[in-house]
Amino acid sequence: MDFPYEFLAAHREFYEPLETARDGREPLRPNRLPPGWMGVESGIWTQWHLPDHTRLIGDGWKVHVSARPERLQHVLDKASQVCFRHEVSFKHLSTELFYQWTHQKLAHRPQSGKFIAAYPADVETARHLMEALRAALADERGPYILTDRRYKDSSTVYYRYGAFVRRFRPRADGLPEALTHDPAGRLVLDRRDASFHLPEKVVDPFAGSRSDTAEGGDFAGFAIDSSIRFTSAGGTYRGRELATGRPVFIKEARAHIGFRDDGASAQQQLREEWRTLTALHEAAPGLAPEPIRYFRKWEHEFLVCEHVDGLTLGGWVSSTHPGLRAGSTPEEIAAYYRRCEQIVSAIERALDRLHAAGYVFVDLSGGNVIVGDDDAVRLVDFGSAQRMGGPLLRTGTPGFMPPVALVADDLATFDDYGLSALAQVLVGPLGMVQDFNPDVLAHLHRDLSERGPVPPTLWERVTRYRAPVHRADFPTPEQVAEDPIRHLSDLRDKVADALVAMADYDNPVRVFPTVPTGHLSNTLCIAYGTAGVVHALRRAGRDLPDRLLDRLRRDALDKADDRGPGLYVGNAGIARVLADCGLLDEARDLLAAADRHPLTAECADLFGGAAGVALTHLALYRHTADPHHVDRAFALADVLSSDSRLTSLLGPHEPVGLAHGRGGVALLFQQLAGVTGDEGYQARAARLLHSELDRAAEPDAADLLFPVSTKDRRAMPYLYAGSSGIAYTATRCLHAGADERLAEAMPRLLAPLRLKYAIMSGLFQGLAGHVFTLADRALLTGDESCRRASLDMACGLFKYAVPHPTGMRLLGHQTLRYSADLWSGSAGVLLALCHALDPRPDALFSVDASVEQRRTAAEPVPAGRGAAGVPAEVR
């Protein structure tokens, strides 16, 4: 899923739903309201209905109306009168602000274009309604709605089949998917991606009226070979010129969509880019991609230009930086920095040429610079470039745009600031952290210098606009190095202080700030919600306020059957946390709900499926001594014992790692083996880990990294999908018994965890996960080198910390806002710090304490089913 940027609209500090955003403008509403019609706000929508229409039919043909931003009120007035006359309930975006965020370039594509949605009761009502809307809005134009079909020749009226009422079920990853009824009355997926879909056996009764197909014939002499990216504004493609075979880059702009802050549509912006490229090709040939052709096809406009070979600068860093791989020598790192200096100089020369031609680039970021095989650089994507001498339109990539006061009258400063940010990408990107606390750069410099000194000229470029300010409430790297335990303990305590202070008990949606995925899934679960924060605070030794536990208990029991079953994103995990807090009855009820959920039978993984539910049953047995929990764990594990069955239950694209892959299922089998003494489970765990090792990106490398899946080939070292998570499970397997292949792989699994660098700080997708896994291995094995490495890596967490009056905060996923969540935010960093400073069993919801009690029992324990196979000490 693309990052949902609309969660940035409502709050400057936290990710919050768009519907909570306000800008002071009056809400939109129809100009004339007939007697009896009632309106109610629901999310970003205002719904209108008659009193006897409060219960809509469940499913049918939705009618959507699109509109341009300057015509919103007029279209609403016209369309609402048609709906009023036909007595059809409808809704519309409540404010212009909501319209702006749902129609910008990076908006959610399935929502793109939708301004009004109407709910006719049957096919004939829908037909009459669309005919009336088509006539009333005949002179209007609006963006094409990607999920729908256009009605006849209207540019604003569209339709699709789907649910009229909110009907969702959770996926295994916690995100909701919409459901509708097919003609047989069965619930099926209500597909809401960026194309038109019909449930099986649903026939389009309006298909004969369609006029929404693109023109056939020649594509202006070009062929599209592959897509690069899609946004609400259009797509970008790799292609070729048919007459010559020449590779080209093709950029598409849809009509009436992708609006910029000044109101310019995607097509207006693309025309501006064509004019810029044409002028630059004449004034400074070779500086920008050569413009080849601009044309219109159907309602879309296309810009064709030279295809520039190479990697984006961000991709070049990922594939080239020796500091990101274990075993790199100081000489290799020094050689890399020399290349970085040459690249920075080359970008600077390109910008000088651009400024001399009378333009400022504006959006200088890691995706808009291409590095060739010979380290030559080219600027690409001139969509934000502007002429000097006019008013600057601030648009660009977060983290690469200077503060307003810094630019003043010198527009070239915009590009110089962006070049400074690019220099930091080259030496070691930190997302947006340095914008919140520039003192983190001193810690970054020290961490980088441990492996090879950063050239002073390159570092001067990095810190030109964001030099450390040496805050009194933030330690220097030298102070941390002098007394790491004291400063790490202080960091742990301050992170916990800030977490407690972030609690908002009056917020009906969430107690603790979370990331967009938390809002979209649920704000209670371990990964993204209250349960994860409670767990981290307990591990930090904090006394939990009664109202916090009461709120978690109350919210967890409310609509428990509507949540997924999983350990990290559903009821099983919340049950585990409540049980650890002594709320055993509530924990039993939630785990029973997890057992009932269809996903427990349909998904195998630790994150949201059967493996996590089974592991929670083992934990509940320790609390309750109820043999039912052991029996359920065995039953769930038995389903996962077949390789073919497991493959089907892991879902598409064969994910790798602890959260969604075989590494998490292996953890379940290892824990079962440890609790019961059944060597068959131990062997199964080892085989699953061998399968994970088979997926290593470079099997013979000094450091083992793993793809996320067969679809996502990024090589990862992280806890959720990569080396750290596999090492977490493999450590337990090796602790229980010898395995030659795992033993050989272990040093190479741990190697990337000793690199004190990651773009983000989080537990599952950043540096905190490395800290945690190293500390965890030291706890299980007594490995002193891992203990020291964990503390050393923990010192690296200072480069992500932001002082706050309440303590110390951490930025969540994508580092655009603060978050309290365990997955990517403050709670996860707190858990890692606690584990490094005071390691104790079961910090990450294992049952190691039970395993250790069985392992040290005086008498051998027979394998079996139910409580008979579990030692009394564990019971």
Side-chain angles (χ1 to χ4, degrees), residues 83-102:
C83 292
F84 291 147
R85 287 199 306 271
H86 287 78
E87 295 191 347
V88 172
S89 299
F90 68 98
K91 68 181 181 181
H92 60 83
L93 290 172
S94 299
T95 68
E96 292 181 32
L97 179 66
F98 297 162
Y99 178 93
Q100 290 167 2
W101 277 92
T102 55

Side-chain angles (χ1 to χ4, degrees), residues 576 579-582 584 588 618-626 874-875:
R576 172 70 186 264
D580 290 344
C581 293
L584 295 180
R588 289 190 190 94
L618 291 180
L620 263 288
Y621 181 79
R622 178 176 174 82
H623 283 291
T624 66
D626 183 348
V874 176
R875 287 181 270 147

Side-chain angles (χ1 to χ4, degrees), residues 2-23:
D2 289 335
F3 187 82
Y5 284 94
E6 65 269 19
F7 281 89
L8 306 179
H11 204 284
R12 295 181 64 85
E13 292 190 324
F14 306 129
Y15 299 107
E16 296 292 358
L18 178 59
E19 58 261 31
T20 62
R22 297 291 181 270
D23 64 358

Side-chain angles (χ1 to χ4, degrees), residues 368-630:
N368 291 344
V369 176
I370 298 293
V371 182
D373 291 339
D374 57 355
D375 288 354
V377 301
R378 294 284 300 276
L379 301 178
V380 296
D381 193 353
F382 281 70
S384 297
Q386 299 163 39
R387 283 191 178 275
M388 289 183 170
L392 177 69
L393 222 153
R394 289 183 60 83
T395 179
T397 305
F400 295 84
M401 295 190 299
V404 176
L406 188 60
V407 177
D409 296 327
D410 183 8
L411 297 187
T413 303
F414 215 102
D415 288 348
D416 198 55
Y417 186 95
L419 183 56
S420 175
L422 282 181
Q424 190 194 319
V425 170
L426 286 164
V427 300
L430 283 178
M432 294 277 289
V433 181
Q434 63 278 359
D435 285 350
F436 290 80
N437 177 21
D439 280 356
V440 301
L441 291 174
H443 290 267
L444 174 64
H445 185 266
R446 182 178 180 93
D447 290 348
L448 293 171
S449 299
E450 287 179 354
R451 304 193 66 200
V454 183
T457 53
L458 187 57
W459 191 250
E460 184 279 327
R461 169 58 78 176
V462 171
T463 57
R464 180 170 296 182
Y465 296 98
R466 291 178 289 200
V469 297
H470 307 298
R471 296 178 57 134
D473 56 352
F474 193 73
T476 66
E478 293 75 21
Q479 289 171 328
V480 173
E482 287 173 3
D483 194 349
I485 299 299
R486 179 173 74 84
H487 286 289
L488 287 173
S489 300
D490 186 52
L491 179 61
R492 174 198 60 198
D493 295 342
K494 287 184 176 181
V495 171
D497 290 342
L499 262 178
V500 172
M502 279 192 275
D504 181 359
Y505 298 103
D506 295 325
N507 190 314
V509 175
R510 53 87 176 160
V511 175
F512 293 98
T514 185
V515 289
T517 310
H519 286 288
L520 294 170
S521 55
N522 71 85
T523 60
L524 298 178
C525 63
I526 280 176
Y528 310 121
T530 309
V533 180
V534 165
H535 176 69
L537 289 174
R538 288 186 68 252
R539 284 275 158 171
R542 294 302 176 102
D543 292 329
L544 301 177
D546 289 340
R547 57 180 176 169
L548 174 56
L549 281 181
D550 185 62
R551 173 73 181 267
L552 176 59
R553 180 194 61 80
R554 187 174 67 251
D555 289 351
L557 295 177
D558 184 33
K559 300 179 180 178
D561 287 331
D562 293 340
R563 280 189 298 277
L567 173 61
Y568 281 103
V569 79
N571 284 323
I574 302 170
R576 172 70 186 264
V577 171
L578 290 177
D580 290 344
C581 293
L583 299 172
L584 295 180
D585 289 339
E586 293 86 345
R588 289 190 190 94
D589 291 344
L590 288 176
L591 193 51
D595 273 334
R596 293 191 300 269
H597 200 283
L599 275 175
T600 301
E602 296 168 0
C603 174
D605 69 31
L606 187 71
F607 188 78
V613 175
L615 194 59
T616 306
H617 274 292
L618 291 180
L620 263 288
Y621 181 79
R622 178 176 174 82
H623 283 291
T624 66
D626 183 348
H628 160 75
H629 294 300
V630 179

Side-chain angles (χ1 to χ4, degrees), residues 742-779:
L742 294 180
E744 185 278 330
M746 183 57 70
R748 297 189 294 143
L749 288 170
L750 296 177
L753 311 191
R754 298 174 187 267
L755 300 177
K756 202 184 295 185
Y757 175 73
I759 293 177
M760 291 183 278
S761 63
L763 180 64
F764 282 90
Q765 54 179 173
L767 188 69
H770 299 356
V771 173
F772 184 93
T773 299
L774 289 166
D776 193 70
R777 177 169 173 80
L779 172 65

Side-chain angles (χ1 to χ4, degrees), residues 657-793:
L658 184 68
H660 301 292
R662 289 171 174 81
V665 180
L667 177 66
L668 167 64
F669 282 108
Q670 186 282 321
Q671 299 276 272
L672 273 171
V675 168
T676 65
D678 188 332
E679 294 184 1
Y681 287 137
Q682 176 73 14
R684 174 67 172 153
R687 288 197 302 273
L688 290 172
L689 289 175
H690 293 173
S691 296
E692 295 286 63
L693 293 177
D694 290 340
R695 303 279 298 279
E698 297 179 37
D700 298 324
D703 53 346
L704 291 178
L705 302 172
F706 298 85
V708 177
S709 67
T710 55
K711 182 179 181 180
D712 185 346
R713 303 302 299 174
R714 292 174 299 161
M716 293 295 194
Y718 298 125
L719 189 59
Y720 88 99
S723 321
S724 182
I726 295 173
Y728 175 83
T729 303
T731 292
R732 285 160 173 76
C733 279
L734 287 172
H735 187 54
D739 184 284
E740 183 177 353
R741 188 174 181 193
L742 294 180
E744 185 278 330
M746 183 57 70
R748 297 189 294 143
L749 288 170
L750 296 177
L753 311 191
R754 298 174 187 267
L755 300 177
K756 202 184 295 185
Y757 175 73
I759 293 177
M760 291 183 278
S761 63
L763 180 64
F764 282 90
Q765 54 179 173
L767 188 69
H770 299 356
V771 173
F772 184 93
T773 299
L774 289 166
D776 193 70
R777 177 169 173 80
L779 172 65
L780 282 170
T781 68
D783 186 333
E784 183 62 20
S785 68
C786 281
R787 189 191 73 84
R788 291 194 303 269
S790 174
L791 291 170
D792 182 48
M793 297 295 291

